[in-house]
């Protein structure tokens, strides 16, 4: 046996997945947050997967929900995926990504499978980065160690007074770009709120709006044209994400660039969106597109289509992914405070989010902080 072959066999045996632990957390929000389609958020769920290899490397991966479906993701990970990956080679991330997809393809193409796969994939990347003794932003691309960002509020239920106070808190925290929810039954209320926020933040700061796919194509066109004077950077999810032709119609009849991506859960959906929807910005979410591997696949599509790459939620992880890419647009700093429960809270410097420098993904949940919210483990 050659020395190279012995080395390969030793490497394989050391990277075998030895144990898997899954945890479900139900974390209350400090106040009710609302948007036009999902309604009231009173809590969010985090499903964590811990993977340990035969030589002792530990990787932490996770996904999250807005308060619904987390137990189903937990069950999928525990009952289907955990037994499937035990004994597999943790270093073969791309192959495991494909294998899990097609292991469950018939019953779950996209949807819950994409959420569950995300938790697995992020844990495997955590191990990969630790083996390399490098931070994720370098391993994923290395373009930069920080990214442009904005504060994204879930604030449709806020009075105008409270909305403006909330926006001011973002400015006080160092943000130079903000996003608000729109989609009220009476669009005139939305228009007044948009005008009020623009007046507060001034002409130079960036301002985005998000309808959470609550409008018809006609309503979206009318609304976009009415708020056009307020210099809006993008109009996010004006209508249902499946209606790619509808997005194209809106884009052709308005001047505000369109953005979406958080509700696309397969690379093929993104491919169709780039082909048809005439997007100005794309927003993949590593928690539901198959983790880091899936997110980087979308990043490559965005690069090839010359569309700025943004993100949705999960800022504690996306900061490293966004920083890694040369065509990064702006990262959403989300209202779900997941990083209040991690060991490395997000750091903002000069209106930019700074990626962690520690080996791994930089996202590890503090067991003391999350312990009270654990509901299931297996």
């Amino acid at each position: 046996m050659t020395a190279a072959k012995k080395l390969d066999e030793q490497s394989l045996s050391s990277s075998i997945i030895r144990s898997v632990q899954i945890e479900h957390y139900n974390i209350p929000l400090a106040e009710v947050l609302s948007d036009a389609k999902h309604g009231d958020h009173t809590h969010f769920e985090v499903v964590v997967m811990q993977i340990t290899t035969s030589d002792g490397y530990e990787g932490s991966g996770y996904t999250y929900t807005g308060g619904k479906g987390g137990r189903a993701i937990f069950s999928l990970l525990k009952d289907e995926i955990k037994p499937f990956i035990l004994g597999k080679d943790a270093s073969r991330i791309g192959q495991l990504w494909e294998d899990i997809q097609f292991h469950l393809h018939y019953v779950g193409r996209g949807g819950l499978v994409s959420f569950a796969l995300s938790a697995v994939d992020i844990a495997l990347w955590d191990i990969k980065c630790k083996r390399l003794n490098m931070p994720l932003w370098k391993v994923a691309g290395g373009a930069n160690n920080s990214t442009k960002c904005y504060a994204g509020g879930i604030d449709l239920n806020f009075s105008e007074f409270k909305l403006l106070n909330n926006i001011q808190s973002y400015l006080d925290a160092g943000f130079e770009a903000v996003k608000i929810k729109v989609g009220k039954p009476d669009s005139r209320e939305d228009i007044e709120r948009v005008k009020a926020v623009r007046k507060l933040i001034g002409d130079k700061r960036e301002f985005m709006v998000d309808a959470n796919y609550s409008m018809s194509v006609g309503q979206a066109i009318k609304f976009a044209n009415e708020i056009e004077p307020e210099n809006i950077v993008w109009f996010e999810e004006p209508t249902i994400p499946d209606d790619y032709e509808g997005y194209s119609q809106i884009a052709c009849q308005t001047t505000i660039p369109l953005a979406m991506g958080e509700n696309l859960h397969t690379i093929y959906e993104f491919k169709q969106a780039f082909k048809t929807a005439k997007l100005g910005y794309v927003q993949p979410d590593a928690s539901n597109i198959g983790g880091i591997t899936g997110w980087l696949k979308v990043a490559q599509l965005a690069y090839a289509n010359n569309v700025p790459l943004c993100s949705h939620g999960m800022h504690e992880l996306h900061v490293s992914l966004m920083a890694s890419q040369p065509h990064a647009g702006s990262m959403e700093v989300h209202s779900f405070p997941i990083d209040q429960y991690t060991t490395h809270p997000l750091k903002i410097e000069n209106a930019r989010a700074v990626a962690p420098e520690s080996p791994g993904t930089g996202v590890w949940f503090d067991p003391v902080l999350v312990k009270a919210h654990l509901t299931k483990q297996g």
Side-chain angles (χ1 to χ4, degrees), residues 101-265:
Q101 289 267 23
F102 287 98
H103 179 62
L104 296 165
H105 188 270
Y106 186 62
V107 295
R109 188 160 113 3
L112 291 174
V113 171
S114 290
F115 281 81
L117 176 59
S118 296
V120 181
D121 186 79
I122 293 167
L124 294 176
W125 272 85
D126 195 25
I127 291 171
K128 176 180 180 176
C129 293
K130 288 174 179 175
R131 283 190 184 280
L132 294 171
N133 196 34
M134 293 171 66
L136 175 60
W137 72 266
K138 287 186 177 180
V139 180
N144 208 326
N145 70 338
S146 68
T147 181
K148 185 178 175 181
C149 64
Y150 69 92
I154 306 177
D155 47 27
L156 194 65
N157 60 322
F158 290 5
S159 67
E160 185 176 306
F161 177 79
K162 184 173 182 178
L163 172 66
L164 295 179
N165 281 340
N166 195 50
I167 295 297
Q168 185 61 54
S169 74
Y170 295 152
L171 305 183
D172 294 343
F175 289 97
E176 290 295 314
V178 300
K179 185 177 78 181
I180 68 168
K181 298 295 188 183
V182 295
K184 284 184 171 292
D186 186 346
S187 65
R188 290 173 297 184
E189 290 185 57
D190 284 328
I191 294 167
E192 291 306 312
R193 288 158 68 89
V194 169
K195 289 180 178 178
V197 171
R198 173 51 78 190
K199 182 178 179 181
L200 173 66
I201 67 175
D203 295 332
K204 294 183 179 180
R205 293 188 174 99
E206 293 190 343
F207 183 21
M208 293 74 89
V209 298
D210 180 1
N212 289 107
Y213 56 92
S214 61
M215 300 180 183
S216 68
V217 170
Q219 288 171 332
I221 291 170
K222 184 175 185 292
F223 180 71
N225 287 328
E226 286 174 327
I227 64 170
E228 190 272 338
E230 305 308 321
N231 188 23
I232 305 300
V233 175
W234 73 60
F235 185 7
E236 185 172 331
E237 285 200 320
T239 195
I240 58 172
D242 312 272
D243 187 4
Y244 305 115
E245 291 81 6
Y247 275 79
S248 178
Q249 290 177 47
I250 297 167
C252 289
Q253 297 184 53
T254 61
T255 60
I256 301 173
L258 303 183
M260 72 140 159
E262 69 186 77
N263 283 294
L264 305 183
H265 298 156

